[in-house]
């Protein structure tokens, strides 16, 4: 199943595993690649001293191409880019765009640049800065997301940049029917986070996975600004309920506490952490507390995704979790999507041929 996306990334199938913080580890990335998809390693939540180790671990587990995700504001962004280039990683993904100089450096080394965007204007700007492909996430998607549903946003972005740039649709995808729908909208493939989070190779502790499996209603997977001031889709749980009720002082205390924890995890200096927060504040119009929370929110997510305490951490999730009821292997996920997609395409072709034959009848 070849598309412009598979040709660009070097994978067999147009199915991308997104770089979920604390989740997209070497095992998950390699399993995705071995299944024929393309996985991104979550470089933003890996301690600086362990990034090279994890890149090499992926290479040990698979001979397939893969990518690394990073944020331009993380203190070790420049070092991570050097590692990506040195180890000939196929692609990078990012949300807030690095500067044009960093993108040019990656492209000069043959690294595919594939940012995630949430609006057509962001896609256009990303391509102007040098993006080789874009992932467009609709409002159904997990984590930081917009309000426009994928069915409306995806064709808009395809119309804006799809003629010159491959586009992957994200938000609400889990099966072959979704892949066919994305292709019908003009996309070149799909990108999924929640479906891979809910897989057998996922490193997420069982207690947390059970909370995802128990989520039978997409309506309880809400968009909230309570965590860091930016709209983020999460499963409503005990912590999120408290954050929704919390006042500014309580949120500021959480921001400072988790900011210090994030500093210890990443090795960043306090001035460096503050610079990152201020950069996000100026770029997104956040308050000081919101900016600090946004810079260190991964430490709150870690409680659920690493420590296995789904009541104490937040649970980023796409609404698609509400219709996933089992944990499959990456091989089963990717293989099932491709098989279903081929069946759907065959049926559509058959129906189309019948329609043509009917139209030709006198």
């Amino acid at each position: 199943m070849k598309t412009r996306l598979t040709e660009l990334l070097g994978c067999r199938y147009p199915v991308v595993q997104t770089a979920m913080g604390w989740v997209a580890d070497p095992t998950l990335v390699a399993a995705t690649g071995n299944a024929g998809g393309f996985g991104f390693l979550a470089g933003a939540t890996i301690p600086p001293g362990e990034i090279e180790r994890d890149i090499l671990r992926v290479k040990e587990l698979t001979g397939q191409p893969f990518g690394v995700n990073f944020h331009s504001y993380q203190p070790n962004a420049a070092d991570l880019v050097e590692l990506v280039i040195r180890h000939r990683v196929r692609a990078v993904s990012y949300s807030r765009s690095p500067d044009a100089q960093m993108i040019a450096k990656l492209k000069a080394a043959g690294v595919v640049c594939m940012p995630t965007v949430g609006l057509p204007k962001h896609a256009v700007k990303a391509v102007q800065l040098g993006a080789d492909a874009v992932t467009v996430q609709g409002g159904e998607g997990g984590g930081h997301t917009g309000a426009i549903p994928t069915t409306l946003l995806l064709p808009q972005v395809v119309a804006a940049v799809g003629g010159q740039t491959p586009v992957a649709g994200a938000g609400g995808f889990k099966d072959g029917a979704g892949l066919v729908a994305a292709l019908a909208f003009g996309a070149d493939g799909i990108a999924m986070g929640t479906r891979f989070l809910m897989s057998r190779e996922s490193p997420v502790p069982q207690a947390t996975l059970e909370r995802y499996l128990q989520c039978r209603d997409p309506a309880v997977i809400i968009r909230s600004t309570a965590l860091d001031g930016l709209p983020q889709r999460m499963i409503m749980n005990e912590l999120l309920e408290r954050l929704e009720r919390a006042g500014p002082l309580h949120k500021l205390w959480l921001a400072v506490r988790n900011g210090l924890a994030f500093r210890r995890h990443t090795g960043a200096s306090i001035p460096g952490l503050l610079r990152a927060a201020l950069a996000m504040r100026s770029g997104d119009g956040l308050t000081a507390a919101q900016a600090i929370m946004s810079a260190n929110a991964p430490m709150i997510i870690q409680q659920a995704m690493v420590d296995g305490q789904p009541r104490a951490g937040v649970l980023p999730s796409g609404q698609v979790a509400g219709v996933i009821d089992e944990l499959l292997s990456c091989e089963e996920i990717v293989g099932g999507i491709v098989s279903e997609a081929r069946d759907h395409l065959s049926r559509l072709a058959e129906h189309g041929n019948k329609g043509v034959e009917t139209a030709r009848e006198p």
Side-chain angles (χ1 to χ4, degrees):
M1 186 173 285
K2 293 183 179 180
T3 69
R4 291 186 301 173
L5 193 63
T6 62
E7 293 176 358
L8 184 66
L9 297 176
C11 51
R12 295 198 301 276
Y13 308 125
V15 178
V16 175
Q17 164 250 301
T18 61
M20 300 158 283
W22 308 113
V23 178
D25 70 349
T27 299
L28 183 61
V29 171
T32 301
N34 288 333
F38 189 91
F40 279 100
L41 191 65
T45 53
I46 301 172
E50 298 176 11
I51 290 176
E52 185 170 28
R53 179 203 68 182
D54 282 7
I55 290 174
L56 292 174
R57 180 58 178 158
V58 177
K59 286 177 172 287
E60 290 175 4
L61 295 172
T62 182
Q64 301 303 315
F66 66 97
V68 175
N69 172 264
F70 73 101
H71 298 313
S72 59
Y73 57 80
Q74 66 188 80
N76 64 321
D79 293 336
L80 188 148
V81 166
E82 291 295 337
L83 289 172
V84 163
I85 293 172
R86 183 190 313 162
H87 293 292
R88 299 183 181 276
V89 173
R90 185 61 173 254
V92 293
S93 64
Y94 46 86
S95 50
R96 294 175 178 85
S97 290
D99 59 41
Q101 184 177 359
M102 183 175 285
I103 294 175
K105 183 175 184 177
L106 286 161
K107 289 172 67 67
V111 179
V112 174
C113 294
M114 188 173 176
T116 298
V117 301
L119 288 172
K121 65 179 181 181
H122 295 160
V124 172
K125 182 60 179 294
V127 172
Q128 290 174 346
L129 286 171
D132 300 294
V134 295
T135 298
V136 51
Q137 178 174 300
E140 302 94 322
H144 291 113
T145 193
I148 305 173
T150 304
T151 52
L152 299 180
L153 182 60
L154 181 55
Q156 286 184 302
V157 173
V158 168
V161 303
Q164 56 179 319
T165 305
V167 175
F173 295 108
K174 70 177 181 66
D175 54 23
L179 174 56
V180 172
L183 296 176
F185 278 126
D188 300 272
I190 56 175
M192 305 183 299
T194 303
R195 174 65 275 195
F196 283 108
L197 183 154
M198 299 173 69
S199 71
R200 291 181 191 162
E201 290 89 352
S202 171
V204 175
Q206 190 63 34
T208 301
L209 286 174
E210 287 297 329
R211 290 296 293 263
Y212 280 83
L213 288 170
Q214 292 165 11
C215 185
R216 294 284 187 255
D217 183 2
V220 303
I221 309 173
I222 68 166
R223 286 175 75 245
S224 171
T225 60
L227 180 59
D228 57 17
L230 297 171
Q232 185 167 177
R233 190 171 292 286
M234 300 168 279
I235 296 173
M236 178 59 76
N237 70 343
E238 296 81 356
L239 177 62
L240 185 53
E241 287 179 353
R242 291 200 301 273
L243 288 174
E244 289 281 343
R245 297 193 303 267
L249 288 178
H250 181 61
K251 289 182 179 179
L252 180 60
W253 175 78
L254 283 174
V256 172
R257 186 190 69 178
N258 287 289
L260 294 174
F262 188 63
R263 184 183 71 83
R264 290 191 296 271
H265 176 76
T266 62
S269 64
I270 290 179
L273 180 64
L274 291 174
R275 282 195 298 271
L278 289 173
M280 297 174 69
R281 181 183 181 186
S282 62
D284 297 307
L286 306 179
T287 67
Q290 289 171 335
I292 295 173
M293 284 290 283
S294 187
N296 65 74
M299 300 310 296
I300 302 178
I301 299 172
Q302 182 194 38
Q303 295 290 314
M305 299 301 163
V306 178
D307 299 338
Q309 301 181 53
R311 297 167 60 93
V314 296
L315 303 167
S317 176
Q319 286 186 295
V320 74
V323 292
I324 296 175
D325 57 9
E326 61 179 336
L327 304 179
L328 302 175
S329 69
C330 289
E331 183 71 36
E332 290 170 325
I333 290 171
V334 177
I337 287 173
V338 173
S339 177
E340 291 171 16
R342 286 174 172 158
D343 288 344
H344 283 295
L345 290 170
S346 295
R347 284 197 294 270
L348 288 171
E350 182 180 344
H351 291 322
N353 290 335
K354 287 181 179 179
V356 170
E357 292 171 2
T358 301
R360 288 175 177 172
E361 291 178 1

